């Protein structure tokens, strides 16, 4: 292992943590950056496994709230509905993700031009949604109806196409169905826990025989960097969204997508 590879893992981990919970597609960013850095990862396992570091930031920031929910589960119907709602929303991604895992990793993850195009298209959608979003009817991320949670879960499946963004898909889907901006972002945070933990476990199991000691060390570096960066984002994102909406992220997606296409045309 070289110092250069360790620095690349550190940079990719920071990018993962900074982009996991904003609707710009962390997967697209680290795949494109890894492509231009010529970063090698067996089966793109690094890119999937470091995402759990970002997701653990949710547990850190929301620990007291999750602890309260756990304590209230035996006696509080609202706490039980919240947990069931998250699990219901997680189911579509669990089923479709497992069925399409090979295609996603071997085809979609290997198509940088597609990633750039989906970044641009997703950016246009965010700009549109930020202007025409319907009047919100739900403002509590922990009290959404189960059917609504399931529908948001199907929106999350769009993120299996790199560049679509897991958080972006769930946030847009929630807002279209009457969830306000802040609650939509918060529900996306919560839904990330089972989704990314499941992706981590499944990908680790599928690639357990392909990982070397060096691969493991790079994953640890990226994992820690992603966690530290994501804590900062989770602590600040909701206030930013409440003040500025999602248009800035839409413009960022378009800029990165166009820059990526130009880079691919120039250097491949």
């Amino acid at each position: 292992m070289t110092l250069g590879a360790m620095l690349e893992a550190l940079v990719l981990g920071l990018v993962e943590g900074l982009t996991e919970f904003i609707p710009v597609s962390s997967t697209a960013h680290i795949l494109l950056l890894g492509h231009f850095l010529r970063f090698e990862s067996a089966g793109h396992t690094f890119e999937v496994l470091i995402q759990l570091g970002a997701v653990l930031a949710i547990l850190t920031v929301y620990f007291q709230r999750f602890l309260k929910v756990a304590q209230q589960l035996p006696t509080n119907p609202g706490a039980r509905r919240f947990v069931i709602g998250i699990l219901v929303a997680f189911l579509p991604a669990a089923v479709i993700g497992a069925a399409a895992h090979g295609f996603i990793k071997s085809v979609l993850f290997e198509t940088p031009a597609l990633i750039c195009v989906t970044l641009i298209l997703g950016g246009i959608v965010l700009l549109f949604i930020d202007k025409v979003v319907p009047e919100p009817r739900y403002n509590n991320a922990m009290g959404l109806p189960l059917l609504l949670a399931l529908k948001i879960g199907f929106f999350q499946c769009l993120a299996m196409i790199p560049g679509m963004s897991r958080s972006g898909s769930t946030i847009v889907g929630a807002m279209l169905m009457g969830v306000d901006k802040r609650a939509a972002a918060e529900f996306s945070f919560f839904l990330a826990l089972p989704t990314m933990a499941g992706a981590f476990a499944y990908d680790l199991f599928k690639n357990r025989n392909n990982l070397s000691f060096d691969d493991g060390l790079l994953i640890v570096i990226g994992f820690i960097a992603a966690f530290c960066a994501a804590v900062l984002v989770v602590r600040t994102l909701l206030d930013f969204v409440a003040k500025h909406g999602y248009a800035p992220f839409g413009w960022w997606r378009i800029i990165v997508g166009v820059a990526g296409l130009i880079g691919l045309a120039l250097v491949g």
Side-chain angles (χ1 to χ4, degrees), residues 1 8 16-17 20 71 76 80 127-128 131 143 180 187 195 210 251 255:
M1 180 190 303
E8 288 171 356
E16 160 60 31
E20 176 61 43
Q71 292 171 338
N76 189 325
R80 290 194 294 270
L127 293 177
F128 179 75
K131 296 294 185 183
D180 78 359
F187 188 81
T195 302
N210 300 325
W251 286 116
I255 291 169

Side-chain angles (χ1 to χ4, degrees), residues 57 60-62 189 229-240:
T60 302
V61 175
Y62 285 93
F189 288 173
V231 168
L232 173 65
V233 172
V234 172
R235 290 186 183 279
T236 59
L237 178 63
L238 295 181
D239 289 338
F240 180 89

Side-chain angles (χ1 to χ4, degrees), residues 109-165:
F109 272 42
E110 300 288 351
T111 315
L114 172 64
I115 295 172
C116 293
V117 171
T118 53
L119 276 172
I120 295 169
L121 293 177
I124 294 171
V125 170
L126 278 180
L127 293 177
F128 179 75
I129 291 298
D130 216 41
K131 296 294 185 183
V132 302
V133 64
E135 189 69 24
R137 293 176 289 132
Y138 308 99
N139 56 20
N140 180 7
M142 302 184 73
L144 300 183
L146 294 183
L147 181 58
L148 177 58
L150 178 63
K151 292 176 181 178
I152 295 173
F154 278 108
F155 270 94
Q156 180 176 236
C157 294
L158 294 173
M160 293 175 192
I161 304 172
M164 289 301 294
S165 172

Side-chain angles (χ1 to χ4, degrees), residues 88-109:
V88 166
F90 163 65
L91 281 177
V95 174
I96 298 173
H101 179 269
F103 176 76
I104 294 168
K105 295 294 287 292
S106 63
V107 178
L108 298 182
F109 272 42

Side-chain angles (χ1 to χ4, degrees), residues 13 16-21 26 47-63 66 86 156 166-167 187-200 222-231 233-234:
E16 160 60 31
L18 291 172
T19 57
E20 176 61 43
F21 298 110
S26 63
E47 289 86 346
V48 174
L49 297 189
I50 66 169
Q51 291 178 337
L52 187 63
V55 171
L56 289 180
I58 298 294
L59 288 177
T60 302
V61 175
Y62 285 93
F63 177 78
F66 288 140
I86 293 297
Q156 180 176 236
R166 187 204 61 80
S167 59
F187 188 81
S188 178
F189 288 173
F190 300 148
L191 183 54
L193 289 171
T195 302
M196 300 317 303
F200 178 96
F223 186 99
I224 295 172
F227 170 80
C228 295
V231 168
V233 172
V234 172

